[in-house]
Amino acid sequence: LAADLNTRADLRAQVLAPLAGQRPSTAEKLTETLRSWVLNQGRRDAVAAQLFVHPQTVRYRVQQLRDLYGDRLEDPQFVLEATLALA
């Protein structure tokens, strides 16, 4: 992906497509939460520490992500794609 920036940009756009209808500030917060969530393998306390927010805030944001992404958040293929796109 580092060798082909267009491929990474396409993957990123595909992963973040469900956030397109959100306000820019909300989409930015959810994107950073999704990134941290996949990189920390869903460990809420680790995500909260990394983002400097309360674990309850992480819970709220992850619920928003679940509403937008549905079961895809649990799909290993999607987690891999999100990790590559957002890392």
Side-chain angles (χ1 to χ4, degrees), residues 28-70:
E28 183 179 334
K29 288 176 186 175
L30 292 177
T31 298
E32 91 179 356
T33 302
L34 178 60
R35 178 185 179 277
S36 184
W37 184 257
V38 297
L39 293 177
N40 287 293
Q41 301 174 346
R43 293 187 315 270
R44 186 177 53 227
D45 291 336
V47 173
Q50 185 175 35
L51 298 179
F52 302 104
V53 297
H54 193 277
Q56 188 66 23
T57 301
V58 173
R59 184 184 311 210
Y60 173 72
R61 290 182 188 175
V62 169
Q63 184 56 53
Q64 288 179 296
L65 290 169
R66 288 189 194 289
D67 291 344
L68 293 167
Y69 286 92

Side-chain angles (χ1 to χ4, degrees), residues 14-15 17-18 68-79 81:
Q14 178 184 343
V15 166
L68 293 167
Y69 286 92
D71 293 338
R72 291 177 62 198
L73 289 180
E74 307 302 325
D75 177 20
Q77 181 65 37
F78 174 77
V79 172
E81 291 170 0

Side-chain angles (χ1 to χ4, degrees), residues 1-22:
L1 286 174
D4 187 353
L5 297 179
N6 290 331
T7 300
R8 184 169 186 207
D10 290 344
L11 181 60
R12 183 178 173 88
Q14 178 184 343
V15 166
L16 297 179
L19 300 177
Q22 302 297 311

